[in-house]
Amino acid sequence: MKVERNKWQNNFSEWYNELIETAGIQDKRYPVKGMNIWLPYGLKIMRNIEKFIHEEMERTGHQEVLFPALIPETEFQKEAEHIAGFEGEVFWVTHAGHDPLDVRLILRPTSETAMYSMFALWIRSHADLPFKIYQIVNVYRYETKHTRPLIRVREISRFFEAHTAHDSFEDAERQIKEDLEIFDNLAKKLALPYIVSKRPEWDKFPGAYYSLGAEVIMPDGRTLQIGTMHNYKQNFAKAYNIMYEKEDGTHEYVHQTTYGMSERLLAAVIAVHGDDRGMVLPPTIAPIQVVIVPIPKKDSPYDVFTYAREIAEELKTAGIRVHVDERDIRPGRKFYDWELKGVPLRIEVGPRDVEGQKAVLARRDTLEKFTVERAELVEKVRETLDAIMENLYARAKEFLDSHIKRVDTLEEAKEVFEDRRGVVEIPWCGEESCGLEMEEILDAKMLGIPYPEEEAKIEGKKCAHCGKEARFIARFARTY
RNA sequence: GGGGCCGUGGGGUAGCUUGGUCCAUCCUCUCGGCCUGGGGCGCCGGAGACCCGGGUUCAAAUCCCGGCGGCCCCA
């Protein structure tokens, strides 16, 4: 058995859309465009991802809250850039019953404008800072482009947003560093290698001083943003009058940051680790880490079902999420089913194994099969799950690295986009006009410059477009 | 914002140009039964569809109008 990734890479859109339904992640047939139904299996995986998010929030002293989904128009309009960035894509609530509302309400596209009037009430003193909260809720955006399950939707149903307030720009910067560390820990749990870019001025979050974006590269070479961090400086604090009293008795506006993620994390896991047979889930988040498939044989004196249940009990005791598939269908069919659903490890037990007190292990990532002694089963399963985790990361890292190419000219950049695509890194003078024109020429978006910025600085190169001295490396990609 | 294409069982489709042979084809899924079991086996039987509204006509899945929904391209 060999790992094939032809459709995965060459016909990714179709692969992805089919998988979302056949693997039981979501049902897209709900009669509102861009709003899908979470199916039990998909939701379990997402919950497992969120478990790690909650752990990281706990570790770093963020408190969980829940804000209402409706925001009065009057609050929404307080920060000028913010409203300009979102007004074209919000859902309005204009009526209650038969009567028009005096103050219209919006369905939150993100929660800054819901939270910050409350921040102004809650934050009084320097002793209240840093103030760190988060929530995981649904938010709504009227997307006009092509919607895709988990990736571009009108209802983001698992929107994570952390909001913080600080007594200084420096402390807000420290928060951004912490956010990046949180992201790195999470990405490791998902075996996802990624890149971080500082967004160009024209593409930062509406109202932000600057924005960072974390991206993965999808099988078709387009990038997917799966995490963002913004430093707002005092932009929102001034609009919402969020002030604190300093030790010397004077008052000052707070500095703020936000950090966002969503079910795109799941999309990235599905896309990055998959192959032609379906999903391959990292053991860390797989609802079923090990599936046991009994292989009965007629007239055999051995009871494979009892043996399978005994093994399952052993693994369960060892803390492994295990399932015995006792359905009355052929084993081959079960193999395909569980491979589609991405169960990282399969154990086959037939009469031969019962007789010899053994079991056959089949890895989902490499499709290798091998026999182990029952006495060492738990240990071997643990080892193999760890090995799968490492292999998934290594394979994904190799894909990522081989899809980032540094070039000096636009011609070379164009070739990259025509060929295997991915991310192109190219010298840039730093001028907005030049950046926008390069986007046009390459038919790609500027992700920004590598972050931390020291990695973006270059010397002795010319801007690929205007020929002036280049100040930065700029990253371009076709994006989702 | 502009242009183009398309809506047929749960999923994927044939039929539409030239209206009648369509109580609508095939694959898949699903249900019942038999058989089987270390990679989707086979056989028998069953269930399930023309997006909505209006029009033309003796007759509409097919032609026309409107609505709703989906997809693609361009800005």
Side-chain angles (χ1 to χ4, degrees), chain A residues 264-275:
Chain A
R264 280 187 164 196
L265 288 168
L266 176 55
V269 167
I270 291 169
V272 168
H273 298 311
D275 63 25

Side-chain angles (χ1 to χ4, degrees), chain A residues 451-464:
Chain A
Y451 187 89
E453 279 180 65
E454 299 82 69
E455 289 173 25
K457 297 227 162 72
I458 49 161
E459 282 173 25
K461 294 275 188 190
K462 302 291 180 205
C463 175

